[in-house]
Amino acid sequence: MSISELHSRYEAAGQAHLLNFWDTLSQSEQASLAEQLTSLDIERVNRIYTKSVQAETDAAASGAHDPIEPLPKDASDSVKAGKETEWRAIGLEAIAAGSVGVLLMAGGQGTRLGSSAPKGCYDIGLPSHKSLFQIQAERIARLQTVAEETHKKPAGSVIIPWYIMTSGPTHGDTTEYFAKNSYFGLDSKNVVFFQQGTLPCLTMDGKVILESPSRVAVAPGGNGGLYAATRSPISSNDKSHTVLTDLTKRGVKFIHAYGVDNCLVRVADPVFIGYSIAKQVECAAKVVPKISPTESVGVVARRGDKFSVVEYSEITTAQAEKRDAETGELAFRAANIVNHFYTTEFLNKVEAFEEELAFHIARKKIPYVDLETGQTVKPTKPNGMKLEMFVFDVFPFTEHFSVLEVSREEEFSPLKNAPGTGSDDPETSRRDILAQQTRFLRKAGATVSEGVEIEISPLVSYAGEGLEGIKGKTFTKSGIVSDLVELDALM
């Protein structure tokens, strides 16, 4: 696109200020800015801004809220229901058939953890010093083996493709980390990296912000950018190759999607997959019970006649404390943990209604270039907005949706805070994994002496299976177990 065409397009969109410094830029800077402006769908940005501001205004208006209600009983189940074995069998059958894939949202950096590396590279302090990425990769490898053994398939024949969504700041480091570690034993052909998109930062009145005379200020568009990212080319070499086309080519029908920071996540969980298949839903959410009425967490609920994630700030004290008349449990207890099931068919449908989704506005202090002086200004108070979409924003558009409640201690231990914080930090992640593995051993019939810490590789056991041979044994020594025979040395 020529500079005159760019100028006409951006002038028509009310964003011509982005070319204010064109004549002062070097040739390379002009090329860089032109490339950025050509690839930017400025008309869409304007639409997103208008819709997001209107949605925020509507939500704040008196009476604009649809009534918020707890989940209907027929839309929610629990692993306590006694159907776990049945659901696992259905899930393992789908995995063995090659029908299951995994989407990992891994675009975040470990900034709050004191690291500039991708959060998935973080070492939570296990005796083995395995990173979150390695733990999850090994769970996939083990689950492939379990499906092969259960369905008497040849070793190496079952594949669970792993699609890892990175961001601009983490993409290079993530791909390099996997290559350096030989993909943690997985076949590199089945580990697919793709990037989440960005959106321009805007002033309060919707003008795109320049961070320098030759560059637009951009920010990731939230984890809801997952959907658009699955439609974008995986590489510049083949514009037709996207995550969605790759899923179709592989025959993947069912998807498990999750965030990287949960050390207890059961990747491609056959119970959750099987549950969702049995319920014949196109989208499902895995949740954990709220710890207390005042826990600051969003819950899956009904807003009007639609499923939604309702933020804790939107629920009244009376609603938060309300309890189910039959069970005595909190009525609004389904804590959202960013753990979802989709059919591939549903992911392909998202594009049709994505324009109806309103982005959420986050007002921030965003450095900018003064359009008159060309000097960079670092504001001391919020001067602009970043627009984000959340992965759960599609819930209201689902026709067949369900929720599975699982145990927090078995499946959810997020890594959010700096070391030493005391909650959701590396120490609690380490504690929760090792405590779970002690439960695995005890459930298998072994005795574990007080104070003993045994780290069992996910390659040995995905969720406590395969440990039947240790019944009656007593473990008195701490250690790392990479093979079942290594347990003998810890008695």
Side-chain angles (χ1 to χ4, degrees), residues 388-401:
E388 298 178 318
M389 185 187 293
F390 301 139
V391 70
F392 53 74
D393 284 336
V394 301
F395 289 1
F397 294 85
T398 57
E399 295 178 16
H400 305 287
F401 180 85

Side-chain angles (χ1 to χ4, degrees), residues 41 185 338 425:
D41 186 344
V338 194
D425 64 12

Side-chain angles (χ1 to χ4, degrees), residues 345-364:
E345 183 180 4
F346 176 75
L347 287 181
N348 276 289
K349 284 164 47 176
V350 172
E351 185 176 13
F353 60 75
E354 201 167 40
E355 285 281 334
E356 298 178 52
L357 300 174
F359 282 70
H360 306 268
I361 297 173
R363 290 174 174 81
K364 303 283 187 179

Side-chain angles (χ1 to χ4, degrees), residues 27 107 194 220 243 332 373 452:
Q27 195 169 358
F194 65 109
V243 169
F332 292 93
T373 67
V452 168

Side-chain angles (χ1 to χ4, degrees), residues 137-152:
E138 291 182 352
R139 286 182 184 145
I140 290 174
R142 171 62 185 169
L143 192 53
Q144 291 175 160
T145 299
V146 170
E148 287 164 358
E149 292 174 348
T150 302
H151 289 273
K152 297 179 171 55

Side-chain angles (χ1 to χ4, degrees), residues 124-130 135 139 264 429-458 460-461 464 467 470 473-491:
I124 60 174
L126 290 172
S128 66
H129 295 287
K130 289 178 181 177
I135 293 165
R139 286 182 184 145
L264 294 181
S429 292
R430 178 189 191 278
R431 176 201 70 196
D432 291 345
I433 280 191
L434 294 176
Q436 181 187 62
Q437 295 177 349
T438 295
R439 290 194 298 274
F440 288 167
L441 294 169
R442 288 175 175 160
K443 188 175 181 181
T447 299
V448 182
S449 299
E450 198 65 33
V452 168
E453 293 182 333
I454 298 176
E455 181 187 349
I456 304 169
S457 168
V460 173
S461 181
L467 301 174
I470 65 171
K473 295 182 178 180
T474 298
F475 297 103
T476 61
K477 300 174 186 175
S478 298
I480 302 168
V481 176
S482 301
D483 190 289
L484 273 176
V485 296
E486 294 175 2
L487 278 165
D488 293 339
L490 303 180
M491 291 192 289

